Amino acid sequence: MARRDDRNLGFFGRLWESQRGRHFQIVTNVSILSVALLVWGIIFLFGLSGPTDPSKENIVTLSWIGMLIGAIGTFYVGPEFFFYLEKKQVLDDILLLDSRAEVLRRRKEGEEAAIMLGSKHMSLMRGLLELHEIPVGKNLTNSPIIKSHSDINVEENWWNNSNSVLSRKLPGLDILRELFFHRMLILITSSSLIVLFWNTIFGIASMGGSRDYTIDLTERISGLSSFHHLAPHIDPVSIILILFLTFILYLTRPYNFKEI
């Protein structure tokens, strides 16, 4: 019966099934991309009045297409993302359990969530079962062993700890667990925030020999000929960037299982 069902699947259905262990990663990445396209389209087309700016005529069509694709992707993939995210939260709660009896009670629920989320989560669930000397089901037997949350010593040093909240929240971005890229992300976000704050408060542009003019990013992106203002000066795009970069920098903090 299973083989007959597999044959009845179309090309994309078979391709999706072949990536069963990576569904959460794929859904997460598509959701992020869809939301980004949707937000960009809304900001550019309605917030910055892109269609009325002749200098931006070449990207108006692309922005409309991107916003449409983003809206469709968000509508269809968004609910799936939250479904998988709920399963991940369930598994995280189970991995924090210290009671063998409680682990036994929620074992089936944890195994189902782990299998749905992929091999890494299956490995964590297997590690928890073996820690409490509970027989591992056949579905988890072939997964490699990874220490459970209760075994991991969280180093509190932000700079030297690549096991960040961001790397845990975004499956598929394992590159962020490499110390070099973790530090690069901290440096880039921190430097960008310093420049944005300095531009907003003190100004970074020079006019008439005095470097105390703020570059209005909203007006700059809109293509206006004059986008310098005497500091301090605030504009919407700068505020959005500051909030976004601050949030990203905050997510680079060490992952704390009890907190999350």
PDB file of all heavy atoms in Angstrom, residues 134-156:
ATOM      1  N   ILE A 134      15.961   4.420  29.422  1.00  0.00           N
ATOM      2  CA  ILE A 134      14.683   4.022  28.838  1.00  0.00           C
ATOM      3  C   ILE A 134      14.967   3.439  27.456  1.00  0.00           C
ATOM      4  O   ILE A 134      15.726   4.030  26.683  1.00  0.00           O
ATOM      5  CB  ILE A 134      13.734   5.232  28.721  1.00  0.00           C
ATOM      6  CG1 ILE A 134      13.448   5.813  30.112  1.00  0.00           C
ATOM      7  CG2 ILE A 134      12.436   4.842  28.025  1.00  0.00           C
ATOM      8  CD1 ILE A 134      12.644   7.098  30.080  1.00  0.00           C
ATOM      9  N   PRO A 135      14.397   2.282  27.131  1.00  0.00           N
ATOM     10  CA  PRO A 135      14.643   1.679  25.814  1.00  0.00           C
ATOM     11  C   PRO A 135      14.305   2.650  24.684  1.00  0.00           C
ATOM     12  O   PRO A 135      13.271   3.318  24.710  1.00  0.00           O
ATOM     13  CB  PRO A 135      13.707   0.463  25.804  1.00  0.00           C
ATOM     14  CG  PRO A 135      13.498   0.139  27.252  1.00  0.00           C
ATOM     15  CD  PRO A 135      13.516   1.452  27.970  1.00  0.00           C
ATOM     16  N   VAL A 136      15.192   2.699  23.718  1.00  0.00           N
ATOM     17  CA  VAL A 136      15.012   3.601  22.579  1.00  0.00           C
ATOM     18  C   VAL A 136      14.209   2.899  21.494  1.00  0.00           C
ATOM     19  O   VAL A 136      14.515   1.766  21.122  1.00  0.00           O
ATOM     20  CB  VAL A 136      16.377   4.055  22.018  1.00  0.00           C
ATOM     21  CG1 VAL A 136      16.189   4.967  20.816  1.00  0.00           C
ATOM     22  CG2 VAL A 136      17.182   4.754  23.099  1.00  0.00           C
ATOM     23  N   GLY A 137      13.181   3.557  20.995  1.00  0.00           N
ATOM     24  CA  GLY A 137      12.362   2.985  19.940  1.00  0.00           C
ATOM     25  C   GLY A 137      13.138   2.811  18.650  1.00  0.00           C
ATOM     26  O   GLY A 137      14.159   3.467  18.420  1.00  0.00           O
ATOM     27  N   LYS A 138      12.647   1.945  17.791  1.00  0.00           N
ATOM     28  CA  LYS A 138      13.374   1.638  16.555  1.00  0.00           C
ATOM     29  C   LYS A 138      13.491   2.852  15.640  1.00  0.00           C
ATOM     30  O   LYS A 138      14.422   2.948  14.843  1.00  0.00           O
ATOM     31  CB  LYS A 138      12.696   0.490  15.816  1.00  0.00           C
ATOM     32  CG  LYS A 138      11.269   0.784  15.369  1.00  0.00           C
ATOM     33  CD  LYS A 138      10.679  -0.404  14.635  1.00  0.00           C
ATOM     34  CE  LYS A 138       9.257  -0.106  14.151  1.00  0.00           C
ATOM     35  NZ  LYS A 138       8.682  -1.253  13.411  1.00  0.00           N
ATOM     36  N   ASN A 139      12.541   3.777  15.752  1.00  0.00           N
ATOM     37  CA  ASN A 139      12.605   4.968  14.904  1.00  0.00           C
ATOM     38  C   ASN A 139      13.759   5.889  15.273  1.00  0.00           C
ATOM     39  O   ASN A 139      14.197   6.703  14.462  1.00  0.00           O
ATOM     40  CB  ASN A 139      11.292   5.754  15.002  1.00  0.00           C
ATOM     41  CG  ASN A 139      10.131   5.011  14.373  1.00  0.00           C
ATOM     42  OD1 ASN A 139      10.302   4.304  13.391  1.00  0.00           O
ATOM     43  ND2 ASN A 139       8.949   5.159  14.951  1.00  0.00           N
ATOM     44  N   LEU A 140      14.241   5.784  16.516  1.00  0.00           N
ATOM     45  CA  LEU A 140      15.337   6.636  16.970  1.00  0.00           C
ATOM     46  C   LEU A 140      16.659   5.894  17.056  1.00  0.00           C
ATOM     47  O   LEU A 140      17.693   6.510  17.322  1.00  0.00           O
ATOM     48  CB  LEU A 140      15.013   7.224  18.352  1.00  0.00           C
ATOM     49  CG  LEU A 140      13.734   8.054  18.487  1.00  0.00           C
ATOM     50  CD1 LEU A 140      13.581   8.550  19.915  1.00  0.00           C
ATOM     51  CD2 LEU A 140      13.749   9.231  17.528  1.00  0.00           C
ATOM     52  N   THR A 141      16.646   4.599  16.836  1.00  0.00           N
ATOM     53  CA  THR A 141      17.839   3.784  17.048  1.00  0.00           C
ATOM     54  C   THR A 141      19.002   4.206  16.168  1.00  0.00           C
ATOM     55  O   THR A 141      20.154   4.245  16.604  1.00  0.00           O
ATOM     56  CB  THR A 141      17.521   2.298  16.791  1.00  0.00           C
ATOM     57  OG1 THR A 141      16.460   1.896  17.661  1.00  0.00           O
ATOM     58  CG2 THR A 141      18.749   1.436  17.048  1.00  0.00           C
ATOM     59  N   ASN A 142      18.720   4.549  14.916  1.00  0.00           N
ATOM     60  CA  ASN A 142      19.792   4.864  13.973  1.00  0.00           C
ATOM     61  C   ASN A 142      20.271   6.305  14.042  1.00  0.00           C
ATOM     62  O   ASN A 142      21.163   6.700  13.298  1.00  0.00           O
ATOM     63  CB  ASN A 142      19.325   4.573  12.540  1.00  0.00           C
ATOM     64  CG  ASN A 142      19.049   3.096  12.332  1.00  0.00           C
ATOM     65  OD1 ASN A 142      19.711   2.249  12.925  1.00  0.00           O
ATOM     66  ND2 ASN A 142      18.067   2.789  11.493  1.00  0.00           N
ATOM     67  N   SER A 143      19.673   7.096  14.915  1.00  0.00           N
ATOM     68  CA  SER A 143      20.090   8.493  15.012  1.00  0.00           C
ATOM     69  C   SER A 143      21.338   8.603  15.871  1.00  0.00           C
ATOM     70  O   SER A 143      21.497   7.877  16.850  1.00  0.00           O
ATOM     71  CB  SER A 143      18.972   9.340  15.626  1.00  0.00           C
ATOM     72  OG  SER A 143      18.648   8.865  16.918  1.00  0.00           O
ATOM     73  N   PRO A 144      22.275   9.507  15.525  1.00  0.00           N
ATOM     74  CA  PRO A 144      23.476   9.694  16.337  1.00  0.00           C
ATOM     75  C   PRO A 144      23.123  10.283  17.692  1.00  0.00           C
ATOM     76  O   PRO A 144      22.084  10.927  17.849  1.00  0.00           O
ATOM     77  CB  PRO A 144      24.316  10.686  15.513  1.00  0.00           C
ATOM     78  CG  PRO A 144      23.317  11.417  14.679  1.00  0.00           C
ATOM     79  CD  PRO A 144      22.245  10.415  14.368  1.00  0.00           C
ATOM     80  N   ILE A 145      23.985  10.072  18.658  1.00  0.00           N
ATOM     81  CA  ILE A 145      23.730  10.546  20.015  1.00  0.00           C
ATOM     82  C   ILE A 145      24.223  11.980  20.166  1.00  0.00           C
ATOM     83  O   ILE A 145      25.352  12.297  19.840  1.00  0.00           O
ATOM     84  CB  ILE A 145      24.427   9.648  21.055  1.00  0.00           C
ATOM     85  CG1 ILE A 145      23.910   8.212  20.931  1.00  0.00           C
ATOM     86  CG2 ILE A 145      24.207  10.174  22.454  1.00  0.00           C
ATOM     87  CD1 ILE A 145      24.611   7.248  21.860  1.00  0.00           C
ATOM     88  N   ILE A 146      23.341  12.833  20.665  1.00  0.00           N
ATOM     89  CA  ILE A 146      23.698  14.204  21.017  1.00  0.00           C
ATOM     90  C   ILE A 146      23.290  14.414  22.465  1.00  0.00           C
ATOM     91  O   ILE A 146      22.246  13.948  22.898  1.00  0.00           O
ATOM     92  CB  ILE A 146      22.971  15.225  20.115  1.00  0.00           C
ATOM     93  CG1 ILE A 146      23.436  15.052  18.668  1.00  0.00           C
ATOM     94  CG2 ILE A 146      23.234  16.652  20.577  1.00  0.00           C
ATOM     95  CD1 ILE A 146      22.763  16.002  17.705  1.00  0.00           C
ATOM     96  N   LYS A 147      24.090  15.106  23.193  1.00  0.00           N
ATOM     97  CA  LYS A 147      23.776  15.334  24.599  1.00  0.00           C
ATOM     98  C   LYS A 147      22.432  16.019  24.748  1.00  0.00           C
ATOM     99  O   LYS A 147      22.088  16.912  23.983  1.00  0.00           O
ATOM    100  CB  LYS A 147      24.854  16.203  25.249  1.00  0.00           C
ATOM    101  CG  LYS A 147      26.189  15.498  25.415  1.00  0.00           C
ATOM    102  CD  LYS A 147      27.169  16.402  26.117  1.00  0.00           C
ATOM    103  CE  LYS A 147      28.511  15.712  26.299  1.00  0.00           C
ATOM    104  NZ  LYS A 147      29.483  16.587  26.988  1.00  0.00           N
ATOM    105  N   SER A 148      21.688  15.589  25.754  1.00  0.00           N
ATOM    106  CA  SER A 148      20.410  16.226  26.027  1.00  0.00           C
ATOM    107  C   SER A 148      20.645  17.577  26.671  1.00  0.00           C
ATOM    108  O   SER A 148      21.733  17.896  27.126  1.00  0.00           O
ATOM    109  CB  SER A 148      19.560  15.348  26.953  1.00  0.00           C
ATOM    110  OG  SER A 148      20.187  15.229  28.208  1.00  0.00           O
ATOM    111  N   HIS A 149      19.597  18.371  26.745  1.00  0.00           N
ATOM    112  CA  HIS A 149      19.716  19.720  27.283  1.00  0.00           C
ATOM    113  C   HIS A 149      20.243  19.732  28.706  1.00  0.00           C
ATOM    114  O   HIS A 149      20.993  20.617  29.093  1.00  0.00           O
ATOM    115  CB  HIS A 149      18.346  20.409  27.242  1.00  0.00           C
ATOM    116  CG  HIS A 149      17.922  20.747  25.844  1.00  0.00           C
ATOM    117  ND1 HIS A 149      16.731  21.351  25.572  1.00  0.00           N
ATOM    118  CD2 HIS A 149      18.537  20.561  24.652  1.00  0.00           C
ATOM    119  CE1 HIS A 149      16.615  21.539  24.267  1.00  0.00           C
ATOM    120  NE2 HIS A 149      17.690  21.062  23.702  1.00  0.00           N
ATOM    121  N   SER A 150      19.852  18.756  29.493  1.00  0.00           N
ATOM    122  CA  SER A 150      20.272  18.745  30.890  1.00  0.00           C
ATOM    123  C   SER A 150      21.747  18.433  31.048  1.00  0.00           C
ATOM    124  O   SER A 150      22.320  18.656  32.100  1.00  0.00           O
ATOM    125  CB  SER A 150      19.444  17.715  31.666  1.00  0.00           C
ATOM    126  OG  SER A 150      19.583  16.434  31.080  1.00  0.00           O
ATOM    127  N   ASP A 151      22.385  17.897  29.985  1.00  0.00           N
ATOM    128  CA  ASP A 151      23.801  17.560  30.061  1.00  0.00           C
ATOM    129  C   ASP A 151      24.705  18.671  29.561  1.00  0.00           C
ATOM    130  O   ASP A 151      25.914  18.612  29.716  1.00  0.00           O
ATOM    131  CB  ASP A 151      24.092  16.304  29.216  1.00  0.00           C
ATOM    132  CG  ASP A 151      23.559  15.062  29.889  1.00  0.00           C
ATOM    133  OD1 ASP A 151      23.346  15.115  31.109  1.00  0.00           O
ATOM    134  OD2 ASP A 151      23.344  14.060  29.192  1.00  0.00           O
ATOM    135  N   ILE A 152      24.119  19.652  28.895  1.00  0.00           N
ATOM    136  CA  ILE A 152      24.936  20.666  28.250  1.00  0.00           C
ATOM    137  C   ILE A 152      25.228  21.801  29.215  1.00  0.00           C
ATOM    138  O   ILE A 152      24.330  22.365  29.826  1.00  0.00           O
ATOM    139  CB  ILE A 152      24.227  21.207  26.992  1.00  0.00           C
ATOM    140  CG1 ILE A 152      24.030  20.066  25.994  1.00  0.00           C
ATOM    141  CG2 ILE A 152      25.013  22.339  26.362  1.00  0.00           C
ATOM    142  CD1 ILE A 152      23.277  20.477  24.750  1.00  0.00           C
ATOM    143  N   ASN A 153      26.492  22.122  29.341  1.00  0.00           N
ATOM    144  CA  ASN A 153      26.898  23.226  30.205  1.00  0.00           C
ATOM    145  C   ASN A 153      26.922  24.502  29.382  1.00  0.00           C
ATOM    146  O   ASN A 153      27.733  24.671  28.485  1.00  0.00           O
ATOM    147  CB  ASN A 153      28.293  22.938  30.777  1.00  0.00           C
ATOM    148  CG  ASN A 153      28.767  24.054  31.690  1.00  0.00           C
ATOM    149  OD1 ASN A 153      27.959  24.794  32.234  1.00  0.00           O
ATOM    150  ND2 ASN A 153      30.077  24.157  31.846  1.00  0.00           N
ATOM    151  N   VAL A 154      26.014  25.398  29.670  1.00  0.00           N
ATOM    152  CA  VAL A 154      25.907  26.631  28.900  1.00  0.00           C
ATOM    153  C   VAL A 154      26.945  27.629  29.384  1.00  0.00           C
ATOM    154  O   VAL A 154      26.906  28.075  30.520  1.00  0.00           O
ATOM    155  CB  VAL A 154      24.492  27.233  29.034  1.00  0.00           C
ATOM    156  CG1 VAL A 154      24.399  28.528  28.248  1.00  0.00           C
ATOM    157  CG2 VAL A 154      23.454  26.236  28.567  1.00  0.00           C
ATOM    158  N   GLU A 155      27.866  27.955  28.516  1.00  0.00           N
ATOM    159  CA  GLU A 155      28.880  28.944  28.854  1.00  0.00           C
ATOM    160  C   GLU A 155      28.273  30.327  28.706  1.00  0.00           C
ATOM    161  O   GLU A 155      27.634  30.640  27.715  1.00  0.00           O
ATOM    162  CB  GLU A 155      30.076  28.794  27.911  1.00  0.00           C
ATOM    163  CG  GLU A 155      31.221  29.715  28.258  1.00  0.00           C
ATOM    164  CD  GLU A 155      32.347  29.575  27.252  1.00  0.00           C
ATOM    165  OE1 GLU A 155      32.288  28.656  26.438  1.00  0.00           O
ATOM    166  OE2 GLU A 155      33.266  30.409  27.294  1.00  0.00           O
ATOM    167  N   GLU A 156      28.463  31.146  29.717  1.00  0.00           N
ATOM    168  CA  GLU A 156      27.797  32.432  29.741  1.00  0.00           C
ATOM    169  C   GLU A 156      28.535  33.508  28.954  1.00  0.00           C
ATOM    170  O   GLU A 156      28.070  34.624  28.858  1.00  0.00           O
ATOM    171  CB  GLU A 156      27.621  32.889  31.205  1.00  0.00           C
ATOM    172  CG  GLU A 156      26.697  32.003  32.015  1.00  0.00           C
ATOM    173  CD  GLU A 156      25.299  31.935  31.423  1.00  0.00           C
ATOM    174  OE1 GLU A 156      24.852  32.930  30.820  1.00  0.00           O
ATOM    175  OE2 GLU A 156      24.660  30.885  31.556  1.00  0.00           O
TER     176      GLU A 156
END
